[in-house]
Amino acid sequence: MPLCCLETVTMPLLEEILPGPLLERLIAPRVELAAGAFVLYWMRTAVRAHENAALDTAIVAANALGIPVLVYHGVDERYPYASDRLHTFILEGARDVQAELAERGIFYALNVRRPGHREDALEKLSGDAALVVTEEMPIEPLRGLTRRLTERIETPLVSVDTACVIPMPLSRKTHDRAFAFRKATADLLAARLTRPWDEVDPEVHFEDPPTLYFQPVDIAAAHIPSLVAECDIDHGVGPVPHTRGGSRAGYARWESFRANHLSRYHQRRNDPSDLDAVSRMSAYLHFGHVAPTRIAREAAMFESGGSDKYIDELIIWREMAYHYCFRVEDVDSLKGLP
């Protein structure tokens, strides 16, 4: 029987049930789980169903409570620079994640805002949930969206670092120089660079579809160009045909680069005329279609000057920015300048 049906049961603390690799990524520990119909994962910046610490945190909590996980993925029209190019890339990623979640038996609900479909379902879904889990992204507008939802709901909400190999909560100081960040995090990186990721399997699944408060999009069956055309966004910036969104396209690009060009990355990366000098993985990392933990682990398998430099760029230079924003509240103002 789900714990939500047992009023006398004391709810566990989330930190007490999480394994170490997930606990070190939890931003708000000492959260007591509540009663609810499901655990809600508000998917935003880690659009993948593998090596996803937020998804795994939701699954661990749901398993402890004996309830299923519901993944809510909202695609708004109001994010900065919303255009056909970005919307198409995002929805191609949604198609992959829907298929990947279906294979794991996890319910996925995609809400694409457009005329006639602008229901604000997230707050209502949060009210039905025992816990809301989302990704930590320490910049606006996502930081503000998280804060405002927390203020409007009574359900506990936690954020989890899904973006970094070195978890953001583990940094103790603000570093604005790469050499200082590299030195301070050397031991943390060494312990995590080649660590395999243990996926968590859900134990409970929905017997009947939950109440969603909106009409979800079956992106597997949808015609993405037509869906994008319905949205109130900038239609003057078109998709990039040679860069499809999604985990499959992202890893295909990575595997080609790793096999053919990674070993010489340190020698070629600054040559703008060399089209194969860099991995072109930024978009897939930005939208969370690929896992940085997997990319770093697979790069580390190739012991070369190119792989060493690639890991340095991927982790030290990229993650120093995440850790800096995580520690500095006014990072988008003059106060945030080093």
Side-chain angles (χ1 to χ4, degrees):
M1 180 180 294
L3 290 183
C4 61
C5 300
L6 304 177
E7 297 180 358
T8 59
V9 172
T10 300
M11 295 297 183
L13 292 175
L14 182 58
E15 66 175 4
E16 294 176 345
I17 61 174
L18 288 179
L22 297 180
L23 181 60
E24 67 183 15
R25 296 177 175 275
L26 185 66
I27 308 304
R30 300 206 62 78
V31 171
E32 183 177 300
L33 301 181
F38 48 78
V39 171
L40 179 65
Y41 170 30
W42 178 18
M43 177 178 281
R44 304 183 299 181
T45 61
V47 184
R48 60 182 185 271
H50 62 277
E51 300 205 23
N52 183 336
L55 175 61
D56 285 350
T57 296
I59 294 173
V60 169
N63 288 348
L65 296 172
I67 55 179
V69 171
L70 191 160
V71 177
Y72 171 84
H73 183 195
V75 180
D76 207 337
E77 301 164 300
R78 298 169 295 177
Y79 62 86
Y81 313 109
S83 65
D84 285 18
R85 178 171 300 173
L86 295 182
H87 250 52
T88 299
F89 193 87
I90 291 167
L91 292 174
E92 288 169 345
R95 178 168 284 170
D96 280 4
V97 84
Q98 176 177 287
E100 200 175 356
L101 287 167
E103 290 179 0
R104 301 184 65 185
I106 300 172
F107 193 95
Y108 173 75
L110 174 64
N111 187 5
V112 181
R113 286 177 179 257
R114 59 205 190 279
H117 298 275
R118 294 199 175 109
E119 302 89 348
D120 189 6
L122 179 59
E123 188 172 341
K124 293 179 180 178
L125 286 171
S126 299
D128 295 338
L131 175 71
V132 180
V133 182
T134 193
E135 309 98 346
E136 173 66 18
M137 185 53 62
I139 57 170
E140 297 296 342
L142 294 175
R143 176 181 270 174
L145 290 172
T146 305
R147 182 182 63 252
R148 288 190 288 275
L149 180 62
T150 302
E151 293 169 348
R152 295 199 306 265
I153 64 175
E154 296 182 2
T155 306
L157 183 152
V158 297
S159 58
V160 180
D161 180 0
T162 61
C164 297
V165 176
I166 305 168
M168 284 183 269
L170 297 187
S171 62
R172 302 304 179 193
K173 291 182 60 179
T174 300
H175 298 281
D176 55 23
R177 296 291 186 273
F179 74 88
F181 182 73
R182 186 184 295 113
K183 180 178 179 180
T185 59
D187 291 342
L188 294 173
L189 176 58
R192 290 160 182 80
L193 180 59
T194 59
R195 177 193 288 173
W197 191 273
D198 295 325
E199 303 286 2
V200 183
D201 294 322
E203 298 174 357
V204 181
H205 308 278
F206 283 101
E207 295 182 0
D208 298 303
T211 300
L212 295 176
Y213 309 102
F214 71 98
Q215 182 61 46
V217 172
D218 180 5
I219 196 64
H223 183 246
I224 290 179
S226 299
L227 182 60
V228 170
E230 294 181 41
C231 301
D232 185 13
I233 56 177
D234 184 355
H235 297 297
V237 182
V240 179
H242 60 70
T243 300
R244 292 182 58 84
S247 299
R248 288 182 296 176
Y251 285 122
R253 176 171 289 186
W254 162 244
E255 289 164 6
S256 176
F257 174 78
R258 183 186 62 175
N260 301 303
H261 307 292
L262 177 62
S263 62
R264 292 180 290 165
Y265 173 75
H266 61 308
Q267 299 169 332
R268 303 166 59 188
R269 56 182 288 270
N270 289 325
D271 183 355
S273 66
D274 189 343
L275 299 181
D276 296 318
V278 294
S279 65
R280 297 178 296 139
M281 293 297 296
S282 294
Y284 299 101
L285 288 164
H286 175 80
F287 288 100
H289 296 174
V290 299
T293 47
R294 173 175 165 179
I295 299 297
R297 187 172 62 248
E298 293 183 354
M301 296 171 60
F302 287 71
E303 297 182 0
S304 66
S307 61
D308 289 345
K309 182 56 181 172
Y310 190 86
I311 291 169
D312 192 65
E313 292 290 323
L314 175 70
I315 297 177
I316 302 305
W317 289 91
R318 176 177 173 270
E319 296 192 7
M320 180 178 67
Y322 277 92
H323 283 248
Y324 184 84
C325 293
F326 181 68
R327 294 291 170 190
V328 178
E329 290 189 9
D330 297 324
V331 71
D332 54 353
S333 72
L334 291 176
K335 295 180 182 179
L337 292 176

